[in-house]
Amino acid sequence: MTHTRTPTIVVAGAGLTGLSAAISAREAGARVVLLEKGGREDVGGNAAFSGGLFLFCYDGPDDLTSITEDFEPGMRAGRIEAPPYTRHAYAAELSAMSGGRAEPRLVGALAERSLDTVRWLAAKGVRFTFNRTLGAEVRDGVLHIPPGQVLTCVGAGMSRGFEVIRPLLAHAERIGVEIHWSTPLARVRRDDGRVTGAAVGDGSRTVPADAVVIATGGFQASHELRREHLGPEWESVRLRGTRLSTGDGIQAALGAGAQKAGTWSSCHSAAVDPTMPAPEHSADSPPFPLHGFWLGVLVNRDGERFVDEGPGPWVRNYSKMGRAIMRQPGCEAFEIFDQRTAARVADEFAGAAVPIVADTVVELAERIGVPEDRLRHTLETFNSACAPGDTTGEDRGTSGIAPPKSRWAAPLDRPPYVAYHAVAGLTFTFGGIRIDPEGRALGADGAPVPGLYAAGEAIGGLFYGDYPGGAALMRAAVFGRAAGHTAATEATSAPHPA
Protein backbone atom coordinates (compact mmCIF):
# COMPACT_ATOMS: atom_id res chain seq x y z
CA MET A 1 0.00 0.00 0.00
CA THR A 2 1.06 3.62 -0.34
CA HIS A 3 0.36 6.73 1.60
CA THR A 4 1.17 10.39 1.25
CA ARG A 5 3.42 12.06 3.76
CA THR A 6 4.73 15.55 4.37
CA PRO A 7 7.49 16.03 1.83
CA THR A 8 10.75 17.83 2.51
CA ILE A 9 11.69 20.54 0.04
CA VAL A 10 15.21 21.98 0.09
CA VAL A 11 15.53 25.49 -1.32
CA ALA A 12 19.09 26.67 -2.01
CA GLY A 13 19.51 30.43 -1.72
CA ALA A 14 17.80 32.95 0.58
CA GLY A 15 17.26 35.81 -1.86
CA LEU A 16 13.92 37.00 -3.18
CA THR A 17 13.66 33.89 -5.35
CA GLY A 18 14.51 31.48 -2.55
CA LEU A 19 12.30 33.14 0.04
CA SER A 20 9.39 33.17 -2.42
CA ALA A 21 9.95 29.48 -3.18
CA ALA A 22 10.30 28.55 0.49
CA ILE A 23 7.15 30.42 1.54
CA SER A 24 5.17 28.99 -1.37
CA ALA A 25 6.28 25.41 -0.66
CA ARG A 26 5.48 25.84 3.01
CA GLU A 27 2.03 27.21 2.17
CA ALA A 28 1.50 24.10 0.03
CA GLY A 29 2.07 21.90 3.10
CA ALA A 30 5.70 20.87 2.75
CA ARG A 31 8.47 20.89 5.31
CA VAL A 32 10.95 23.41 3.92
CA VAL A 33 14.68 23.61 4.56
CA LEU A 34 16.19 26.85 3.24
CA LEU A 35 19.96 26.76 2.70
CA GLU A 36 21.93 30.01 2.59
CA LYS A 37 25.58 30.11 1.58
CA GLY A 38 26.23 33.20 3.68
CA GLY A 39 25.28 34.20 7.18
CA ARG A 40 22.11 35.94 8.25
CA GLU A 41 23.74 39.25 7.34
CA ASP A 42 23.86 38.04 3.72
CA VAL A 43 20.15 37.33 3.35
CA GLY A 44 18.50 38.71 0.24
CA GLY A 45 20.90 37.97 -2.60
CA ASN A 46 20.86 40.52 -5.41
CA ALA A 47 17.37 41.74 -4.54
CA ALA A 48 18.75 43.30 -1.36
CA PHE A 49 20.92 45.61 -3.49
CA SER A 50 18.20 46.63 -5.92
CA GLY A 51 15.98 49.67 -6.24
CA GLY A 52 12.92 47.57 -5.34
CA LEU A 53 11.18 48.03 -8.69
CA PHE A 54 8.61 45.48 -9.90
CA LEU A 55 7.22 45.51 -13.45
CA PHE A 56 3.71 44.07 -13.52
CA CYS A 57 0.49 44.23 -15.50
CA TYR A 58 -2.57 46.20 -14.42
CA ASP A 59 -5.87 47.30 -15.91
CA GLY A 60 -6.04 50.73 -14.31
CA PRO A 61 -5.81 52.76 -11.08
CA ASP A 62 -7.94 50.36 -9.05
CA ASP A 63 -5.39 47.58 -9.51
CA LEU A 64 -2.64 49.89 -8.27
CA THR A 65 -4.49 51.23 -5.24
CA SER A 66 -5.47 47.67 -4.32
CA ILE A 67 -1.74 47.13 -3.67
CA THR A 68 -0.84 50.39 -1.96
CA GLU A 69 -2.10 53.84 -1.07
CA ASP A 70 1.38 55.09 -0.14
CA PHE A 71 2.84 57.93 -2.20
CA GLU A 72 6.28 59.48 -2.25
CA PRO A 73 6.33 63.21 -1.40
CA GLY A 74 4.67 65.26 -4.11
CA MET A 75 2.94 62.27 -5.71
CA ARG A 76 -0.43 62.31 -3.97
CA ALA A 77 -3.28 63.77 -6.02
CA GLY A 78 -7.05 63.87 -6.07
CA ARG A 79 -7.24 61.49 -9.02
CA ILE A 80 -5.04 58.93 -10.76
CA GLU A 81 -4.91 58.37 -14.49
CA ALA A 82 -3.17 55.09 -15.33
CA PRO A 83 -3.70 53.61 -18.79
CA PRO A 84 -3.62 49.80 -18.71
CA TYR A 85 -0.31 47.99 -18.96
CA THR A 86 -1.61 44.80 -20.51
CA ARG A 87 -0.24 41.28 -20.56
CA HIS A 88 0.21 41.61 -24.30
CA ALA A 89 2.19 44.85 -23.89
CA TYR A 90 4.39 43.29 -21.19
CA ALA A 91 5.10 40.19 -23.27
CA ALA A 92 5.70 42.21 -26.43
CA GLU A 93 8.15 44.52 -24.68
CA LEU A 94 10.14 41.74 -23.07
CA SER A 95 10.24 39.75 -26.30
CA ALA A 96 11.37 42.77 -28.29
CA MET A 97 14.16 43.58 -25.83
CA SER A 98 15.41 39.99 -26.11
CA GLY A 99 15.55 40.24 -29.88
CA GLY A 100 12.76 37.68 -30.10
CA ARG A 101 14.84 35.02 -28.35
CA ALA A 102 13.03 34.88 -25.00
CA GLU A 103 11.18 31.62 -24.34
CA PRO A 104 7.52 32.45 -25.14
CA ARG A 105 6.08 30.24 -22.41
CA LEU A 106 8.20 31.93 -19.75
CA VAL A 107 7.37 35.38 -21.10
CA GLY A 108 3.65 34.58 -21.02
CA ALA A 109 3.78 33.16 -17.51
CA LEU A 110 5.69 36.16 -16.18
CA ALA A 111 3.19 38.62 -17.63
CA GLU A 112 0.12 36.59 -16.66
CA ARG A 113 1.14 36.08 -13.02
CA SER A 114 2.79 39.42 -12.31
CA LEU A 115 -0.11 41.33 -10.74
CA ASP A 116 -1.23 38.43 -8.55
CA THR A 117 2.35 37.92 -7.37
CA VAL A 118 2.74 41.58 -6.36
CA ARG A 119 -0.46 41.24 -4.35
CA TRP A 120 0.93 38.03 -2.82
CA LEU A 121 4.10 39.88 -1.78
CA ALA A 122 2.05 42.72 -0.31
CA ALA A 123 0.06 40.20 1.72
CA LYS A 124 3.36 38.95 3.18
CA GLY A 125 4.21 42.43 4.42
CA VAL A 126 6.13 43.95 1.49
CA ARG A 127 5.19 47.63 1.30
CA PHE A 128 4.94 49.41 -2.04
CA THR A 129 4.71 53.10 -2.91
CA PHE A 130 4.04 55.26 -5.97
CA ASN A 131 7.45 56.40 -7.23
CA ARG A 132 8.32 59.79 -8.74
CA THR A 133 11.44 58.93 -10.73
CA LEU A 134 9.91 56.68 -13.37
CA GLY A 135 7.76 59.05 -15.36
CA ALA A 136 4.75 59.55 -13.11
CA GLU A 137 3.93 63.17 -12.31
CA VAL A 138 1.19 65.32 -10.85
CA ARG A 139 -0.38 67.83 -13.24
CA ASP A 140 -3.46 69.93 -12.44
CA GLY A 141 -4.30 67.80 -9.43
CA VAL A 142 -4.09 64.51 -11.34
CA LEU A 143 -1.36 61.86 -10.96
CA HIS A 144 -0.52 60.81 -14.52
CA ILE A 145 1.10 57.39 -14.75
CA PRO A 146 2.64 56.08 -17.98
CA PRO A 147 2.14 52.35 -18.59
CA GLY A 148 4.44 50.16 -16.49
CA GLN A 149 6.98 50.93 -13.74
CA VAL A 150 4.87 52.79 -11.24
CA LEU A 151 5.51 51.14 -7.88
CA THR A 152 8.65 50.45 -5.91
CA CYS A 153 9.12 49.22 -2.40
CA VAL A 154 9.34 51.79 0.35
CA GLY A 155 12.76 53.03 1.35
CA ALA A 156 15.44 55.22 -0.16
CA GLY A 157 17.68 54.71 -3.18
CA MET A 158 19.31 51.32 -3.49
CA SER A 159 18.18 50.29 0.00
CA ARG A 160 14.64 49.69 -1.25
CA GLY A 161 15.44 46.11 -2.22
CA PHE A 162 16.32 45.16 1.35
CA GLU A 163 12.83 46.30 2.32
CA VAL A 164 11.50 43.51 0.09
CA ILE A 165 13.61 40.94 1.90
CA ARG A 166 13.03 42.01 5.50
CA PRO A 167 9.29 41.17 5.69
CA LEU A 168 9.66 37.99 3.60
CA LEU A 169 12.35 36.63 5.94
CA ALA A 170 10.19 37.41 8.96
CA HIS A 171 7.20 35.72 7.34
CA ALA A 172 9.22 32.63 6.36
CA GLU A 173 10.46 32.20 9.93
CA ARG A 174 6.98 32.81 11.33
CA ILE A 175 5.40 30.00 9.26
CA GLY A 176 8.12 27.49 10.11
CA VAL A 177 10.65 27.53 7.25
CA GLU A 178 13.86 26.01 8.65
CA ILE A 179 16.80 28.23 7.67
CA HIS A 180 20.36 26.91 7.70
CA TRP A 181 22.84 29.79 7.52
CA SER A 182 26.42 29.39 6.24
CA THR A 183 25.36 26.18 4.47
CA PRO A 184 26.31 26.26 0.77
CA LEU A 185 24.89 23.78 -1.72
CA ALA A 186 27.63 21.48 -3.05
CA ARG A 187 25.74 18.94 -5.16
CA VAL A 188 22.25 17.64 -5.86
CA ARG A 189 21.92 13.99 -4.82
CA ARG A 190 20.02 11.60 -7.10
CA ASP A 191 19.02 7.97 -6.88
CA ASP A 192 17.39 6.03 -9.74
CA GLY A 193 17.10 9.26 -11.68
CA ARG A 194 15.25 11.21 -8.97
CA VAL A 195 16.51 13.87 -6.60
CA THR A 196 16.99 12.55 -3.08
CA GLY A 197 18.73 15.40 -1.30
CA ALA A 198 21.30 18.16 -1.25
CA ALA A 199 24.97 17.68 -0.39
CA VAL A 200 26.13 20.74 1.53
CA GLY A 201 29.35 22.28 2.72
CA ASP A 202 32.29 20.24 1.47
CA GLY A 203 29.84 17.66 0.15
CA SER A 204 30.26 15.20 3.01
CA ARG A 205 26.88 15.97 4.60
CA THR A 206 23.53 15.45 2.89
CA VAL A 207 20.18 17.01 3.68
CA PRO A 208 17.59 14.43 2.53
CA ALA A 209 14.84 15.90 0.38
CA ASP A 210 12.01 14.98 -1.94
CA ALA A 211 12.87 17.94 -4.15
CA VAL A 212 15.48 20.67 -4.48
CA VAL A 213 14.84 24.20 -5.73
CA ILE A 214 17.87 26.05 -7.11
CA ALA A 215 17.62 29.75 -6.23
CA THR A 216 21.31 30.58 -5.89
CA GLY A 217 21.55 33.35 -8.50
CA GLY A 218 23.85 33.68 -11.48
CA PHE A 219 27.63 33.39 -11.78
CA GLN A 220 28.57 37.06 -11.70
CA ALA A 221 30.75 36.66 -8.60
CA SER A 222 32.99 33.99 -10.17
CA HIS A 223 36.15 35.41 -11.76
CA GLU A 224 36.68 32.17 -13.68
CA LEU A 225 33.15 31.90 -15.09
CA ARG A 226 33.11 35.59 -16.00
CA ARG A 227 36.34 35.16 -17.90
CA GLU A 228 35.11 32.01 -19.63
CA HIS A 229 31.67 33.24 -20.65
CA LEU A 230 31.76 37.07 -20.70
CA GLY A 231 35.36 37.57 -21.76
CA PRO A 232 38.75 38.30 -20.14
CA GLU A 233 38.02 42.02 -19.69
CA TRP A 234 35.17 41.09 -17.31
CA GLU A 235 37.36 39.12 -14.91
CA SER A 236 38.13 42.14 -12.74
CA VAL A 237 34.94 44.16 -13.31
CA ARG A 238 33.35 45.92 -10.33
CA LEU A 239 30.56 43.88 -8.72
CA ARG A 240 27.21 45.50 -7.94
CA GLY A 241 25.46 42.32 -6.86
CA THR A 242 26.03 39.79 -4.13
CA ARG A 243 29.54 38.39 -3.84
CA LEU A 244 28.08 34.93 -3.12
CA SER A 245 26.58 34.14 -6.55
CA THR A 246 29.47 32.16 -7.99
CA GLY A 247 27.42 29.74 -10.09
CA ASP A 248 27.49 26.88 -7.56
CA GLY A 249 23.78 26.16 -7.79
CA ILE A 250 23.77 26.29 -11.58
CA GLN A 251 26.68 23.86 -11.74
CA ALA A 252 24.96 21.54 -9.24
CA ALA A 253 21.81 21.52 -11.37
CA LEU A 254 23.75 20.82 -14.56
CA GLY A 255 25.52 17.98 -12.77
CA ALA A 256 22.12 16.55 -11.86
CA GLY A 257 20.96 16.45 -15.47
CA ALA A 258 19.54 19.92 -16.12
CA GLN A 259 20.21 21.63 -19.43
CA LYS A 260 21.72 25.06 -20.04
CA ALA A 261 19.53 27.85 -21.39
CA GLY A 262 19.86 31.46 -22.45
CA THR A 263 22.86 33.54 -23.36
CA TRP A 264 25.85 32.90 -21.13
CA SER A 265 27.83 35.69 -22.75
CA SER A 266 25.54 38.53 -21.64
CA CYS A 267 24.68 40.24 -18.38
CA HIS A 268 23.10 43.20 -16.62
CA SER A 269 25.77 45.85 -16.14
CA ALA A 270 25.03 49.47 -15.37
CA ALA A 271 27.21 52.57 -15.26
CA VAL A 272 28.40 53.13 -11.68
CA ASP A 273 30.60 55.45 -9.66
CA PRO A 274 34.04 53.73 -9.41
CA THR A 275 34.80 55.21 -5.98
CA MET A 276 31.97 53.34 -4.29
CA PRO A 277 32.92 49.98 -2.74
CA ALA A 278 31.22 46.74 -3.74
CA PRO A 279 28.62 45.63 -1.17
CA GLU A 280 29.60 43.17 1.54
CA HIS A 281 26.32 42.42 3.31
CA SER A 282 22.68 42.76 2.39
CA ALA A 283 22.02 45.90 4.42
CA ASP A 284 24.86 47.68 2.57
CA SER A 285 24.19 49.89 -0.43
CA PRO A 286 25.87 48.88 -3.70
CA PRO A 287 27.69 51.32 -5.98
CA PHE A 288 24.91 53.67 -7.02
CA PRO A 289 23.98 53.32 -10.69
CA LEU A 290 24.56 56.52 -12.64
CA HIS A 291 21.25 56.45 -14.49
CA GLY A 292 21.30 60.07 -15.58
CA PHE A 293 23.07 59.33 -18.88
CA TRP A 294 19.88 60.02 -20.86
CA LEU A 295 19.88 63.67 -19.72
CA GLY A 296 23.38 64.38 -21.08
CA VAL A 297 26.10 62.69 -23.10
CA LEU A 298 28.54 59.86 -22.47
CA VAL A 299 32.14 60.28 -23.65
CA ASN A 300 35.12 57.95 -23.40
CA ARG A 301 38.58 58.97 -22.26
CA ASP A 302 39.38 60.06 -25.80
CA GLY A 303 36.62 62.67 -25.45
CA GLU A 304 34.31 60.99 -27.96
CA ARG A 305 30.69 59.85 -27.74
CA PHE A 306 30.19 56.13 -28.31
CA VAL A 307 26.53 55.25 -27.62
CA ASP A 308 23.00 56.51 -28.15
CA GLU A 309 22.21 57.85 -24.68
CA GLY A 310 18.47 58.13 -25.31
CA PRO A 311 17.08 55.27 -27.40
CA GLY A 312 14.09 54.99 -25.07
CA PRO A 313 13.11 55.40 -21.41
CA TRP A 314 16.21 55.10 -19.22
CA VAL A 315 14.64 52.30 -17.23
CA ARG A 316 14.60 50.24 -20.44
CA ASN A 317 18.28 50.91 -21.21
CA TYR A 318 20.34 51.28 -18.05
CA SER A 319 21.26 47.59 -17.87
CA LYS A 320 23.29 47.74 -21.09
CA MET A 321 25.26 50.93 -20.43
CA GLY A 322 27.90 48.99 -18.52
CA ARG A 323 28.56 46.77 -21.54
CA ALA A 324 28.92 49.84 -23.76
CA ILE A 325 31.47 51.29 -21.33
CA MET A 326 33.38 48.00 -21.20
CA ARG A 327 34.08 48.34 -24.93
CA GLN A 328 35.82 51.71 -24.45
CA PRO A 329 39.52 52.44 -23.82
CA GLY A 330 40.29 51.67 -20.21
CA CYS A 331 36.73 50.47 -19.71
CA GLU A 332 35.72 53.88 -18.40
CA ALA A 333 33.59 56.86 -19.44
CA PHE A 334 32.22 60.22 -18.26
CA GLU A 335 28.61 61.37 -18.08
CA ILE A 336 28.47 65.09 -18.89
CA PHE A 337 25.64 67.57 -18.15
CA ASP A 338 25.06 71.30 -18.09
CA GLN A 339 22.78 73.39 -15.91
CA ARG A 340 19.66 72.32 -17.81
CA THR A 341 19.79 68.93 -16.15
CA ALA A 342 22.60 68.85 -13.56
CA ALA A 343 20.33 69.50 -10.56
CA ARG A 344 17.92 66.73 -11.53
CA VAL A 345 20.77 64.28 -12.10
CA ALA A 346 22.26 65.05 -8.69
CA ASP A 347 18.87 64.72 -7.01
CA GLU A 348 17.64 61.52 -8.64
CA PHE A 349 20.36 59.65 -10.51
CA ALA A 350 23.77 60.08 -8.87
CA GLY A 351 23.43 58.97 -5.26
CA ALA A 352 26.52 59.94 -3.27
CA ALA A 353 28.75 60.24 -6.33
CA VAL A 354 30.84 63.43 -6.25
CA PRO A 355 30.58 65.42 -9.50
CA ILE A 356 33.42 67.11 -11.34
CA VAL A 357 32.42 70.73 -12.02
CA ALA A 358 34.00 73.15 -14.50
CA ASP A 359 33.13 76.57 -15.89
CA THR A 360 34.47 75.88 -19.39
CA VAL A 361 34.92 72.92 -21.72
CA VAL A 362 38.69 73.44 -21.58
CA GLU A 363 38.64 73.26 -17.78
CA LEU A 364 36.32 70.24 -17.87
CA ALA A 365 38.62 68.37 -20.26
CA GLU A 366 41.57 69.04 -17.99
CA ARG A 367 39.74 67.95 -14.87
CA ILE A 368 38.46 64.66 -16.30
CA GLY A 369 41.67 63.95 -18.18
CA VAL A 370 40.49 63.83 -21.81
CA PRO A 371 41.95 65.65 -24.85
CA GLU A 372 40.62 69.21 -24.85
CA ASP A 373 40.38 69.47 -28.64
CA ARG A 374 38.46 66.19 -28.97
CA LEU A 375 36.01 67.04 -26.17
CA ARG A 376 35.39 70.52 -27.58
CA HIS A 377 34.78 69.06 -31.06
CA THR A 378 32.47 66.39 -29.64
CA LEU A 379 30.31 68.86 -27.72
CA GLU A 380 30.20 71.40 -30.56
CA THR A 381 29.16 68.69 -33.01
CA PHE A 382 26.53 67.38 -30.62
CA ASN A 383 25.14 70.84 -29.92
CA SER A 384 24.86 71.59 -33.63
CA ALA A 385 22.97 68.33 -34.19
CA CYS A 386 20.29 69.15 -31.60
CA ALA A 387 16.97 70.53 -32.79
CA PRO A 388 16.32 74.27 -32.31
CA GLY A 389 14.55 75.18 -29.12
CA ASP A 390 15.17 75.41 -25.43
CA THR A 391 13.59 72.24 -24.05
CA THR A 392 14.65 68.67 -23.35
CA GLY A 393 11.89 66.36 -24.55
CA GLU A 394 11.33 62.75 -25.40
CA ASP A 395 10.56 63.71 -28.98
CA ARG A 396 13.77 65.69 -29.50
CA GLY A 397 16.60 63.79 -31.18
CA THR A 398 19.79 64.75 -32.98
CA SER A 399 20.32 64.73 -36.72
CA GLY A 400 23.42 64.12 -38.81
CA ILE A 401 25.72 62.61 -36.20
CA ALA A 402 26.75 59.07 -35.31
CA PRO A 403 25.92 57.72 -32.90
CA PRO A 404 22.68 59.68 -32.70
CA LYS A 405 20.93 60.66 -29.52
CA SER A 406 17.41 59.55 -30.33
CA ARG A 407 15.52 61.35 -27.56
CA TRP A 408 15.97 64.03 -24.89
CA ALA A 409 18.66 65.76 -26.93
CA ALA A 410 19.41 69.36 -25.90
CA PRO A 411 22.60 71.37 -26.37
CA LEU A 412 25.16 71.36 -23.58
CA ASP A 413 25.77 75.10 -23.54
CA ARG A 414 24.82 76.28 -20.06
CA PRO A 415 27.90 76.12 -17.84
CA PRO A 416 29.05 75.22 -15.28
CA TYR A 417 29.45 71.73 -16.73
CA VAL A 418 29.09 68.68 -14.50
CA ALA A 419 30.68 65.28 -15.11
CA TYR A 420 30.56 61.93 -13.36
CA HIS A 421 33.24 59.28 -13.78
CA ALA A 422 31.60 55.97 -14.73
CA VAL A 423 32.69 52.36 -15.00
CA ALA A 424 30.72 49.17 -15.50
CA GLY A 425 29.08 47.56 -12.50
CA LEU A 426 28.08 43.91 -13.00
CA THR A 427 24.77 43.00 -11.37
CA PHE A 428 23.87 39.53 -12.69
CA THR A 429 24.41 37.18 -15.61
CA PHE A 430 21.76 36.01 -18.08
CA GLY A 431 22.64 32.34 -18.68
CA GLY A 432 21.41 29.51 -16.49
CA ILE A 433 19.18 26.46 -16.18
CA ARG A 434 16.36 25.61 -18.56
CA ILE A 435 12.95 25.48 -16.88
CA ASP A 436 9.29 25.28 -17.79
CA PRO A 437 6.76 27.87 -16.56
CA GLU A 438 6.12 25.89 -13.37
CA GLY A 439 9.79 25.97 -12.36
CA ARG A 440 10.68 22.38 -13.30
CA ALA A 441 14.30 22.00 -14.41
CA LEU A 442 14.42 20.43 -17.86
CA GLY A 443 16.96 17.95 -19.17
CA ALA A 444 18.53 17.63 -22.60
CA ASP A 445 15.48 15.71 -23.85
CA GLY A 446 13.16 18.53 -22.77
CA ALA A 447 11.60 16.41 -20.00
CA PRO A 448 11.65 17.51 -16.34
CA VAL A 449 14.46 16.22 -14.13
CA PRO A 450 12.40 14.50 -11.39
CA GLY A 451 12.59 16.45 -8.15
CA LEU A 452 14.68 19.35 -9.50
CA TYR A 453 13.39 22.92 -9.82
CA ALA A 454 14.94 26.33 -10.43
CA ALA A 455 14.03 30.02 -10.63
CA GLY A 456 15.34 33.55 -10.56
CA GLU A 457 18.80 34.49 -11.79
CA ALA A 458 19.80 30.82 -11.84
CA ILE A 459 17.64 30.24 -14.93
CA GLY A 460 18.19 31.19 -18.57
CA GLY A 461 15.94 31.70 -21.53
CA LEU A 462 14.10 34.86 -20.46
CA PHE A 463 16.61 37.73 -20.63
CA TYR A 464 19.05 38.11 -23.50
CA GLY A 465 20.68 41.36 -24.66
CA ASP A 466 18.52 43.51 -22.41
CA TYR A 467 15.31 43.53 -20.37
CA PRO A 468 12.84 46.10 -19.03
CA GLY A 469 13.63 47.47 -15.58
CA GLY A 470 11.58 45.82 -12.84
CA ALA A 471 11.28 42.52 -14.73
CA ALA A 472 14.20 40.95 -12.82
CA LEU A 473 12.60 41.20 -9.36
CA MET A 474 9.28 40.20 -10.91
CA ARG A 475 10.92 37.11 -12.45
CA ALA A 476 12.40 36.17 -9.09
CA ALA A 477 9.08 36.34 -7.27
CA VAL A 478 6.90 34.80 -10.01
CA PHE A 479 9.06 31.79 -10.76
CA GLY A 480 10.33 31.36 -7.21
CA ARG A 481 6.73 31.13 -6.05
CA ALA A 482 5.87 28.74 -8.88
CA ALA A 483 8.89 26.48 -8.31
CA GLY A 484 8.22 26.16 -4.58
CA HIS A 485 4.54 25.35 -5.10
CA THR A 486 5.22 22.84 -7.89
CA ALA A 487 7.96 21.13 -5.89
CA ALA A 488 5.71 20.74 -2.86
CA THR A 489 2.59 19.58 -4.70
CA GLU A 490 4.41 17.12 -6.96
CA ALA A 491 6.35 15.66 -4.03
CA THR A 492 3.14 15.36 -2.00
CA SER A 493 1.27 13.56 -4.79
CA ALA A 494 4.12 11.14 -5.53
CA PRO A 495 3.49 7.72 -3.93
CA HIS A 496 5.86 6.59 -1.20
CA PRO A 497 6.28 3.11 0.32
CA ALA A 498 4.30 2.64 3.52
Side-chain angles (χ1 to χ4, degrees):
M1 63 179 291
T2 61
H3 74 287
T4 57
R5 59 183 176 83
T6 301
T8 295
I9 308 300
V10 164
V11 178
L16 173 57
T17 304
L19 287 167
S20 297
I23 292 169
S24 181
R26 184 69 179 145
E27 289 177 338
R31 171 187 175 233
V32 180
V33 178
L34 180 58
L35 310 177
E36 171 51 46
K37 184 178 184 178
R40 190 182 183 91
E41 68 276 10
D42 298 304
V43 67
N46 265 356
F49 305 124
S50 74
L53 174 64
F54 287 79
L55 180 63
F56 59 95
C57 301
Y58 52 87
D59 292 330
D62 289 347
D63 281 343
L64 301 176
T65 54
S66 73
I67 297 166
T68 184
E69 294 188 357
D70 288 342
F71 296 82
E72 288 193 339
M75 294 293 291
R76 188 179 294 277
R79 185 164 58 87
I80 298 174
E81 285 193 3
Y85 185 59
T86 66
R87 292 160 182 79
H88 174 75
Y90 196 137
E93 183 169 32
L94 204 157
S95 297
M97 294 185 72
S98 75
R101 292 176 290 173
E103 166 59 47
R105 293 191 304 161
L106 299 183
V107 172
L110 180 62
E112 179 68 30
R113 301 170 188 170
S114 60
L115 175 60
D116 182 65
T117 300
V118 171
R119 287 173 170 158
W120 181 80
L121 292 171
K124 305 295 181 284
V126 178
R127 291 180 55 211
F128 294 91
T129 185
F130 286 86
N131 183 278
R132 69 187 178 93
T133 65
L134 299 169
E137 60 179 349
V138 176
R139 299 193 307 270
D140 301 324
V142 179
L143 175 58
H144 296 270
I145 298 174
Q149 265 105 7
V150 295
L151 302 183
T152 65
C153 297
V154 298
M158 301 308 293
S159 68
R160 293 178 188 270
F162 192 60
E163 298 306 319
V164 181
I165 300 303
R166 195 193 306 272
L168 292 183
L169 175 62
H171 184 78
E173 292 178 322
R174 187 163 53 247
I175 65 175
V177 172
E178 304 169 30
I179 305 178
H180 295 206
W181 304 107
S182 302
T183 309
L185 174 69
R187 289 186 304 279
V188 175
R189 299 286 192 190
R190 299 177 74 200
D191 186 20
D192 291 333
R194 182 174 182 85
V195 167
T196 58
V200 299
D202 62 3
S204 61
R205 182 168 71 90
T206 297
V207 179
D210 297 277
V212 171
V213 179
I214 304 295
T216 51
F219 59 83
Q220 73 274 358
S222 168
H223 294 273
E224 296 78 12
L225 291 177
R226 287 204 305 263
R227 181 180 182 86
E228 177 183 353
H229 296 290
L230 300 181
E233 69 275 15
W234 290 87
E235 187 173 1
S236 58
V237 73
R238 182 171 295 270
L239 194 65
R240 283 197 67 246
T242 172
R243 72 192 191 288
L244 300 177
S245 287
T246 54
D248 305 347
I250 296 174
Q251 299 295 342
L254 298 179
Q259 185 184 22
K260 287 183 177 180
T263 173
W264 285 57
S265 60
S266 193
C267 61
H268 169 174
S269 59
V272 301
D273 175 7
T275 68
M276 299 297 171
E280 287 294 322
H281 303 300
S282 56
D284 300 336
S285 292
F288 198 91
L290 299 174
H291 289 339
F293 56 86
W294 60 285
L295 292 169
V297 297
L298 265 170
V299 302
N300 60 25
R301 68 182 185 186
D302 293 331
E304 298 177 342
R305 291 180 59 247
F306 55 90
V307 69
D308 183 349
E309 300 92 347
W314 70 264
V315 77
R316 302 295 200 268
N317 295 285
Y318 68 95
S319 67
K320 62 185 179 186
M321 286 301 158
R323 293 199 300 278
I325 292 171
M326 287 294 289
R327 294 192 288 266
Q328 302 311 302
C331 300
E332 63 178 342
F334 298 90
E335 297 184 1
I336 299 177
F337 312 93
D338 71 355
Q339 293 307 300
R340 276 187 176 86
T341 57
R344 182 178 181 185
V345 170
D347 182 46
E348 299 180 21
F349 300 112
V354 178
I356 302 163
V357 182
D359 290 324
T360 67
V361 173
V362 172
E363 181 186 356
L364 179 65
E366 180 180 355
R367 296 202 64 188
I368 65 177
V370 306
E372 179 268 328
D373 58 335
R374 293 305 307 160
L375 182 61
R376 185 176 65 251
H377 179 266
T378 294
L379 295 184
E380 288 176 352
T381 302
F382 175 79
N383 290 349
S384 298
C386 293
D390 199 41
T391 60
T392 301
E394 184 176 2
D395 60 344
R396 299 175 67 83
T398 58
S399 61
I401 60 171
K405 185 174 183 184
S406 301
R407 306 182 188 187
W408 296 287
L412 296 174
D413 57 6
R414 293 186 181 178
Y417 300 99
V418 173
Y420 292 91
H421 191 193
V423 297
L426 175 56
T427 307
F428 63 86
T429 46
F430 287 170
I433 304 159
R434 186 175 301 282
I435 66 165
D436 69 9
E438 306 309 320
R440 304 178 186 93
L442 305 179
D445 59 357
V449 178
L452 185 62
Y453 306 83
E457 292 170 11
I459 69 168
L462 195 57
F463 299 160
Y464 282 80
D466 202 2
Y467 72 96
L473 293 187
M474 200 72 259
R475 173 184 66 171
V478 164
F479 292 109
R481 182 186 180 194
H485 183 268
T486 307
T489 54
E490 291 187 342
T492 299
S493 61
H496 299 274

